[in-house]
Amino acid sequence: KEKTKLQKQREDELIQKIHKLVQKRDFLVDDAEVERLREQEEDKEMADFLRIKLKPLDKVARSSASSRAEKKAEPPPSKPTVAKTGLALIKDCCGAAQCSIM
């Protein structure tokens, strides 16, 4: 009752601005959640890909380790071996700059 017409109008404008800001915030929160879920799915796909890609190398590493025990006088190979660190395998697999696991 004590508010003037101008005060009521200003109050309505502020309420509308607040409402728009809340809608914008909700959109950004939802968008961030969708992005988080997408990245999580990409990480899972990359881990599955690497597991499949590196599984044959693991078998080769086991067989070469057993054959190396038998042939100790064998000179070191000129190419990198499978006994690399996981980081080196990832770099060889898909490039360090592209790998989301890194």
Side-chain angles (χ1 to χ4, degrees), residues 3 13 18 21 29-30 33 43 49 54 59 61-62 68 77-78 80 82 86:
K3 293 180 185 177
E13 289 172 5
I18 290 170
L21 284 173
V29 168
D30 289 344
E33 179 65 11
D43 289 347
F49 168 78
L54 298 178
K59 290 178 184 177
R62 287 183 193 152
R68 258 191 239 156
S78 60
V82 178

Side-chain angles (χ1 to χ4, degrees), residues 7-22:
Q7 288 173 330
K8 287 180 183 180
Q9 185 179 3
R10 178 71 178 144
E11 183 181 24
D12 288 341
E13 289 172 5
L14 290 173
I15 289 172
Q16 287 177 358
K17 282 185 180 182
I18 290 170
H19 182 69
K20 285 181 183 180
L21 284 173
V22 168

Side-chain angles (χ1 to χ4, degrees), residues 36-49:
R36 184 187 69 79
L37 292 172
R38 184 188 62 77
E39 289 174 355
Q40 188 178 29
E41 182 64 26
E42 285 178 358
D43 289 347
K44 182 182 177 295
E45 289 173 3
M46 179 59 75
D48 291 344
F49 168 78

